[in-house]
Amino acid sequence: MFNIIENPYLHEEISTIVAIFVFVILKSIIAKIVRKYATLNEALEHRTNLIIKYINILLGTLTLLSIIIIWGVRKDQIFLFISSVFAVVGVASFAQWSILSNITAGVVLFFSYPFKIGDVIKIHDKDFPIEAEIEDIKAFYILLKTIDGETITYPNNLLMQKGISVIKKHKEFSDFTD
């Protein structure tokens, strides 16, 4: 007869493998969905890769948290750990809040705003009105080129707070930057 040694952690090991498998599957499915969306909306490859990177970081964090829970870390220990991490991150993020808001605004701009790279826009700011062509939309800021050839970096979070008019779509502006 076989002497099978029972593995006391078999359930946790199988659950961990399933969590990692789900992470890999979701990662590839979401990457395909984002790439398809980007293709339909004519987004640039490096912007698409940046959005996919942000989503992968979020999925990885959720997977890590799931694995911690699977292995039976007690709830009071998890809450103590999370509250400690949030305290440290909160103090550090307070100084970096604008960076986080710019990244979030960059993700929102990728998925939902009516202008694209190459469009000529007007930013309705009473102190600093800008009419320029969008050269690139980065994670933290947008690059604009004015009629005078001046390059302006404009923070993404401010772009979402101001009124924007699309003057010319990217197919119509060929004489703007000549």
Side-chain angles (χ1 to χ4, degrees):
M1 314 248 193
F2 296 103
N3 187 5
I4 299 175
I5 300 173
E6 286 195 30
N7 183 353
Y9 300 111
L10 183 63
H11 182 267
E12 288 85 356
E13 290 170 354
I14 291 172
S15 297
T16 301
I17 291 169
V18 168
I20 292 170
F21 180 74
V22 168
F23 166 73
V24 171
I25 296 297
L26 279 176
K27 184 176 163 181
S28 66
I29 289 172
I30 291 174
K32 286 179 184 177
I33 291 170
V34 170
R35 287 189 197 286
K36 188 170 190 169
Y37 180 85
T39 302
L40 292 174
N41 291 303
E42 302 172 7
L44 292 179
E45 182 70 23
H46 72 277
R47 292 210 53 231
T48 304
N49 291 336
L50 189 64
I51 298 300
I52 291 170
K53 179 181 171 185
Y54 293 156
I55 292 171
N56 287 343
I57 290 171
L58 176 65
L59 284 175
T61 304
L62 292 175
T63 302
L64 182 63
L65 184 62
S66 298
I67 291 171
I68 289 171
I69 291 171
I70 287 169
W71 280 92
V73 176
R74 292 191 320 234
K75 290 179 185 174
D76 58 334
Q77 291 175 340
I78 291 175
F79 291 132
L80 177 65
F81 174 73
I82 290 174
S83 64
S84 299
V85 168
F86 276 136
V88 171
V89 169
V91 170
S93 293
F94 183 72
Q96 301 301 324
W97 187 253
S98 66
I99 291 174
L100 296 174
S101 67
N102 280 321
I103 290 173
T104 304
V107 171
V108 171
L109 288 173
F110 179 80
F111 284 110
S112 67
Y113 261 69
F115 47 81
K116 297 181 173 136
I117 294 173
D119 290 352
V120 177
I121 62 169
K122 181 175 184 179
I123 300 173
H124 301 282
D125 185 353
K126 70 176 187 171
D127 297 327
F128 189 57
I130 300 171
E131 186 172 321
E133 173 193 342
I134 299 173
E135 285 194 331
D136 200 2
I137 302 172
K138 305 277 188 184
F140 303 104
Y141 57 89
I142 187 170
L143 281 175
L144 302 169
K145 186 168 192 159
T146 64
I147 297 172
D148 302 328
E150 179 183 10
T151 300
I152 299 172
T153 58
Y154 202 81
N156 286 337
N157 63 346
L158 290 181
L159 191 68
M160 291 186 58
Q161 294 173 10
K162 305 293 180 186
I164 308 290
S165 297
V166 178
I167 306 294
K168 295 181 185 176
K169 289 292 189 182
H170 66 284
K171 294 176 181 154
E172 304 170 351
F173 79 95
S174 60
D175 58 339
F176 185 78
T177 58
D178 289 342

